[in-house]
Amino acid sequence: MTSSSSSPSQDAKRLAHAHPEGLRADALMEEDVAWKYDIDGERDGDQFDRSERAALRRVAGLSTELEDVTEVEYRQLRLERVVLVGVWTTGTAKDADNSLAELAALAETAGAMVLDGVIQRRDKPDAATYIGSGKALELRDVVLETGADTVICDGELSPGQLIQLEDVVKVKVIDRTALILDIFAQHAKSREGKAQVALAQMQYMLPRLRGWGQSLSRQMGGGRGGLATRGPGETKIETDRRRIREKMAKMRREIAEMKTGREIKRQERRRNKVPSVAIAGYTNAGKSSLLNRLTGAGVLVENALFATLDPTVRRAETPSGRLYTLADTVGFVRHLPHHLVEAFRSTMEEVGDSDLILHVVDGSHPVPEEQLAAVREVIREVGATDVPEIVVINKADAADPLVLQRLLRVEKRSIAVSARTGQGLEELLALIDEELPRPSVEIEALVPYTQGKLVARAHTEGEVLSEEHTAEGTLLKVRVHAELAADLAPYTPAATA
């Protein structure tokens, strides 16, 4: 390293002239004048030249011709600063505030810093700019005042609304659907989950592609084209749309193959007559916490929306010894994008194919009834309305006692629990045992010790009421399905008499 021939004060003056805003760096360099080797050399070790040390400092507001590239790189390191916009069309002002508060929680989950939120009262969203031209200008002033770089709208905007609103506010504009898709893309871990999110994102982006139109067109016929082969041809945006459609078709085939594997597992459970219980509910209601408490599954638990997307199936046992499976499903939210419902249909089929649904609701939420309605709407979409349901009011330790009493009174098949403290879990297990479908045939049989497989099947597939070991074999009194009852029939008292 070569040292500079200029004095320290000259270095500081030259840097201050080049960057007048770097006053703090100048002050630090002035303090370095008092440095002496015999005092500070042992302590500090090798020293860089002052001018080179100053060159390592990042200057705030530095702009280069690669501003768009650095913006993409920095976005992964800093939080996006967002302003929320909602249109209040129905309901009370409190309902509108709750909806915007949920949008703020979604934005924070996606990694954004919420600076402000505004709501406009309208009969319906404006067809051009979602909030109207006058309010769009007011929104631009809010964006300039707060220094935001993104606007998030509490609704699904058409491609035209997105473009026109961006033209007014001069920053990026996204809607609620794009925000939820972004959260899903961050949290999907399994191969199936990633494929489902990618398909939903492509379905959403297909009508919203933007291109340069005719300036990126291609000539259809090439250099040797003849009659009727010259012209604008296929534009760049049309090419992009065609490629996205091809990718979507490929993704649907992959998801169909993964669905086959999931269906095989379900058939295996049905063949072994193992009842299944599905945990469904609003996002962040505590479904994964409840699964961990009941089965010790060790699933990620985090106070965030859509922290877990990939379904988890674990084996559990009722207090009476009956085996069943417990499946944790993806969380729901109000106005869940229909792209996601379609893409996650194979995952949500766990709910439709179950014997019992544990509908988990956050008891500490200001309006838990809205969560119940939103989840039941999605359950109807996947065709699981005929499955018996138990409403599990979670977070009872943090809930308002009046809200708990109201929910328990309105929901006839409900129970209040706390996955964090363990309150009410024993009663929940007993209720699951009571509600699970029971084998239809009650039979008594003396099974020889040489037929131990039948005894094992009676324990796994049926419900053992009594068991006694005698000199001739195992005397069983069990409730089983018709298939196993036929196998046990030769060992009943009537058959052996």
Side-chain angles (χ1 to χ4, degrees):
M1 180 187 300
T2 60
S3 62
S4 173
S5 59
S6 60
S7 65
S9 60
Q10 290 173 340
D11 289 341
K13 290 177 181 178
R14 185 170 62 251
L15 187 66
H17 178 72
H19 306 288
E21 71 274 14
L23 299 179
R24 183 171 179 273
D26 299 341
L28 290 174
M29 287 188 288
E30 289 297 335
E31 293 173 1
D32 289 344
V33 175
W35 184 88
K36 292 183 179 180
Y37 179 79
D38 56 348
I39 298 175
D40 300 320
E42 295 295 330
R43 181 185 64 195
D44 291 349
D46 296 334
Q47 297 293 308
F48 290 102
D49 182 83
R50 289 191 183 88
S51 60
E52 294 191 10
R53 277 185 288 158
L56 294 174
R57 298 181 184 274
R58 188 178 299 280
V59 180
L62 184 65
S63 178
T64 69
E65 68 275 9
L66 298 178
E67 184 177 359
D68 56 335
V69 177
T70 54
E71 181 69 11
V72 172
E73 294 173 350
Y74 288 169
R75 186 158 290 164
Q76 299 179 13
L77 303 177
R78 67 176 177 84
L79 296 177
E80 286 194 57
R81 300 160 62 85
V82 302
V83 170
L84 310 179
V85 182
V87 172
W88 169 25
T89 56
T90 58
T92 63
K94 187 176 180 181
D95 294 337
D97 291 343
N98 289 336
S99 180
L100 210 65
E102 183 178 271
L103 187 68
L106 288 168
E108 290 174 359
T109 302
M113 180 188 298
V114 179
L115 303 178
D116 204 352
V118 293
I119 298 176
Q120 185 196 13
R121 183 73 170 94
R122 294 181 65 97
D123 292 334
K124 60 180 181 179
D126 183 66
T129 60
Y130 182 66
I131 56 176
S133 56
K135 291 297 180 182
L137 292 174
E138 292 182 23
L139 178 61
R140 182 185 64 183
D141 296 337
V142 173
V143 169
L144 290 174
E145 180 184 350
T146 57
D149 49 29
T150 304
V151 170
I152 304 178
C153 298
D154 191 15
E156 185 168 342
L157 273 63
S158 68
Q161 288 173 324
L162 283 172
I163 294 173
Q164 294 191 53
L165 191 56
E166 276 188 358
D167 289 341
V168 177
V169 299
K170 305 302 181 185
V171 295
K172 182 175 68 174
V173 177
I174 64 174
D175 58 12
R176 180 189 180 93
T177 300
L179 179 62
I180 294 176
L181 288 172
D182 182 78
I183 296 172
F184 271 59
Q186 291 181 45
H187 292 175
K189 296 292 184 292
S190 68
R191 179 168 170 257
E192 184 175 9
K194 290 178 180 178
Q196 289 167 330
V197 172
L199 176 60
Q201 285 181 317
M202 285 187 285
Q203 286 176 322
Y204 173 78
M205 287 303 300
L206 185 60
R208 292 169 175 82
L209 284 180
R210 303 181 194 179
W212 292 98
Q214 296 298 322
S215 63
L216 290 178
S217 63
R218 301 186 303 175
Q219 189 167 354
M220 186 172 66
R224 296 186 177 183
L227 295 175
T229 59
R230 287 180 287 270
E234 187 179 38
T235 62
K236 178 68 167 61
I237 195 169
E238 290 169 347
T239 306
D240 292 341
R241 285 174 179 155
R242 175 167 50 80
R243 288 175 177 170
I244 286 182
R245 290 191 186 98
E246 291 172 355
K247 287 183 180 179
M248 288 170 59
K250 179 182 177 183
M251 203 69 69
R252 286 193 179 97
R253 289 195 297 270
E254 292 180 0
I255 293 175
E257 293 173 0
M258 299 177 203
K259 179 184 176 181
T260 302
R262 187 179 295 277
E263 181 62 30
I264 290 173
K265 293 178 183 177
R266 281 200 290 262
Q267 288 177 358
E268 184 68 16
R269 293 198 293 267
R270 282 195 290 264
R271 187 177 66 82
N272 292 327
K273 304 297 189 296
V274 178
S276 62
V277 178
I279 302 178
Y282 213 76
T283 179
N284 205 29
K287 299 184 298 300
S288 297
S289 300
L290 186 64
L291 177 70
N292 290 345
R293 270 284 186 173
L294 295 178
T295 66
V299 177
L300 170 69
V301 172
E302 188 176 349
N303 185 21
L305 305 185
F306 300 113
T308 51
L309 296 182
D310 304 316
T312 304
V313 180
R314 292 290 184 270
R315 176 167 292 213
E317 189 174 330
T318 65
S320 63
R322 301 171 62 198
L323 292 177
Y324 66 97
T325 60
L326 201 60
D328 183 17
T329 60
V330 63
F332 303 144
V333 72
R334 273 185 302 181
H335 312 302
L336 190 68
H338 64 277
H339 308 294
L340 281 173
V341 175
E342 287 299 321
F344 277 79
R345 185 168 294 276
S346 62
T347 302
M348 294 176 182
E349 284 174 357
E350 292 284 354
V351 178
D353 288 343
S354 62
D355 298 301
L356 179 67
I357 296 176
L358 296 185
H359 185 164
V360 183
V361 61
D362 183 356
S364 63
H365 191 270
V367 193
E369 289 87 355
E370 290 185 0
Q371 292 192 352
L372 286 167
V375 174
R376 282 169 176 161
E377 181 181 351
V378 180
I379 289 177
R380 280 195 299 271
E381 289 186 32
V382 297
T385 53
D386 296 332
V387 182
E389 175 192 65
I390 297 176
V391 176
V392 181
I393 308 168
N394 195 21
K395 306 182 185 180
D397 55 323
D400 184 348
L402 294 177
V403 174
L404 284 181
Q405 292 177 10
R406 185 176 75 236
L407 286 174
L408 290 171
R409 184 176 64 254
V410 173
E411 300 293 336
K412 302 305 180 184
R413 296 156 57 89
S414 60
I415 183 172
V417 304
S418 172
R420 188 175 68 86
T421 64
Q423 171 190 343
L425 291 183
E426 292 185 3
E427 293 85 350
L428 175 60
L429 286 171
L431 190 57
I432 292 173
D433 194 2
E434 180 182 335
E435 294 292 336
L436 280 177
R438 295 181 176 276
S440 55
V441 181
E442 187 172 322
I443 191 171
E444 184 175 347
L446 182 61
V447 183
Y449 290 119
T450 55
Q451 299 294 325
K453 288 184 178 181
L454 286 177
V455 178
R457 284 181 61 191
H459 280 277
T460 56
E461 299 178 19
E463 184 179 354
V464 178
L465 303 178
S466 66
E467 182 178 13
E468 181 182 353
H469 298 286
T470 65
E472 294 80 11
T474 305
L475 182 60
L476 288 175
K477 187 176 181 181
V478 293
R479 189 179 285 116
V480 294
H481 297 283
E483 182 182 346
L484 182 54
D487 294 336
L488 288 172
Y491 308 106
T492 59
T496 56

